[in-house]
Amino acid sequence: MKMERKEAPSHETIYKMIYENRYEMGIYACKLRRKHKKRKQRGLKKQRRSPIPNRVGIEHRPEIIGKGHWEGDTVIGKNMKGAIATFADEESKFLIAQLMQDKTSQSLNQAAKESFKDIKHLQTFTFDNGGEFALHQDLTKTLGANCYFANPYHSWERGLNEHTNRLLRQYFPKKTDFTQLTNEEIQLAVMAINNRPRKSLNYLTANEVYFNHSNCQSLFYSSNLDLYKPVASHA
């Protein structure tokens, strides 16, 4: 038909005619290479509904002023097994991280509650739209900080956390088996990152800015996440 420049039905139309037995074309189904019982739907997939109940978008977040506004995310281990919950303070870039048993919302909340149980003046959390943040209302109830969500595929709305995760990846590359990690190993990496001078902080460290230590005392964020221990001083 194409050779004769006549209008021809598309291949999708032909397949549908066979599978729906239009004009008795169902007899040709046995001749098809793939013996499906029905034609799979082609074209754009329906957009999945957000797994976040009562999600509040970042456009409703109040203006970021002072400490207490945190961006949160997860870093995933090899073969999608194991995860690290990461939280970065907007003002100081201070990092908190905690090993998770898995990527479930229950594990995420457990890690967050343990990380922030002794931290005061929490104001907001900003997350991506991963299902691990589905229990954000429980997190708000426990910690007293409202949770907001970036727009899908707008990673720059959580740019600090994305950048901080890349710093953490320097210690735990993508092929790292997180099931073999200990929380102590994670805290050593967190300590190194928080004690790294930052150009954006006028060459102060996140520790110095977060704790406002004018004497530049370096702090170690302990493995049980409830104590800050001074370990060294530098000029």
Side-chain angles (χ1 to χ4, degrees):
M1 295 179 73
K2 286 187 177 180
M3 294 290 291
E4 298 175 4
R5 296 187 178 180
K6 294 182 179 180
E7 185 176 353
S10 68
H11 69 280
E12 281 295 326
T13 299
I14 295 173
Y15 277 120
K16 290 179 72 173
M17 291 173 69
I18 293 174
Y19 281 107
E20 295 174 9
N21 196 25
R22 297 181 189 176
Y23 306 107
E24 298 184 353
M25 289 184 66
I27 60 174
Y28 296 107
C30 62
K31 305 293 184 181
L32 298 178
R33 182 178 299 176
R34 298 182 180 180
K35 306 299 189 295
H36 297 305
K37 292 183 179 180
K38 61 181 181 179
R39 182 64 171 165
K40 291 184 178 181
Q41 186 175 2
R42 297 298 193 268
L44 295 175
K45 294 182 179 180
K46 291 184 178 180
Q47 187 175 4
R48 293 182 179 179
R49 294 182 63 184
S50 171
I52 312 295
N54 298 314
R55 174 187 178 280
V56 181
I58 194 173
E59 64 273 14
H60 301 292
R61 187 181 68 179
E63 184 180 359
I64 301 298
I65 300 176
K67 287 192 303 185
H69 297 278
W70 297 80
E71 295 181 5
D73 199 4
T74 52
V75 178
I76 309 303
K78 180 181 179 182
N79 297 326
M80 303 297 291
K81 294 182 180 179
I84 301 173
T86 63
F87 306 93
D89 177 61
E90 292 263 11
E91 182 187 58
S92 65
K93 308 185 187 302
F94 185 77
L95 170 65
I96 292 176
Q98 171 85 340
L99 186 64
M100 299 166 56
Q101 292 183 348
D102 49 46
K103 203 188 173 185
T104 63
S105 52
Q106 291 82 2
S107 292
L108 185 283
N109 276 21
Q110 182 180 353
K113 291 173 184 179
E114 181 67 18
S115 299
F116 289 97
K117 65 182 181 182
D118 293 319
I119 295 181
K120 300 179 180 179
H121 309 301
L122 289 175
Q123 298 192 61
T124 67
F125 288 109
T126 302
F127 301 129
D128 65 11
N129 294 277
E132 64 269 32
F133 301 111
L135 298 178
H136 63 97
Q137 291 174 293
D138 176 57
L139 207 58
T140 295
K141 183 178 179 181
T142 302
L143 298 178
N146 291 325
C147 299
Y148 300 91
F149 294 86
N151 291 300
Y153 311 110
H154 286 58
S155 59
W156 60 88
E157 292 179 343
R158 298 171 33 264
L160 171 62
N161 207 187
E162 294 286 337
H163 173 70
T164 306
N165 285 350
R166 287 194 291 271
L167 295 179
L168 196 61
R169 279 292 190 190
Q170 295 177 5
Y171 299 89
F172 310 113
K174 289 189 175 181
K175 293 185 179 181
T176 302
D177 184 356
F178 283 8
T179 62
Q180 301 300 313
L181 278 181
T182 66
N183 209 42
E184 285 74 17
E185 291 176 293
I186 294 172
Q187 300 316 314
L188 288 173
V190 169
M191 178 182 67
I193 292 171
N194 283 336
N195 284 321
R196 177 184 297 192
R198 305 280 191 96
K199 182 179 180 181
S200 57
L201 298 176
N202 199 24
Y203 297 100
L204 294 174
T205 69
N207 261 335
E208 292 164 357
V209 176
Y210 186 80
F211 293 103
N212 195 24
H213 273 227
S214 58
N215 62 351
C216 300
Q217 180 173 245
S218 175
L219 296 172
F220 174 71
Y221 191 47
S222 69
S223 59
N224 62 9
L225 301 180
D226 60 2
L227 295 173
Y228 295 98
K229 300 178 180 179
V231 294
S233 297
H234 59 275

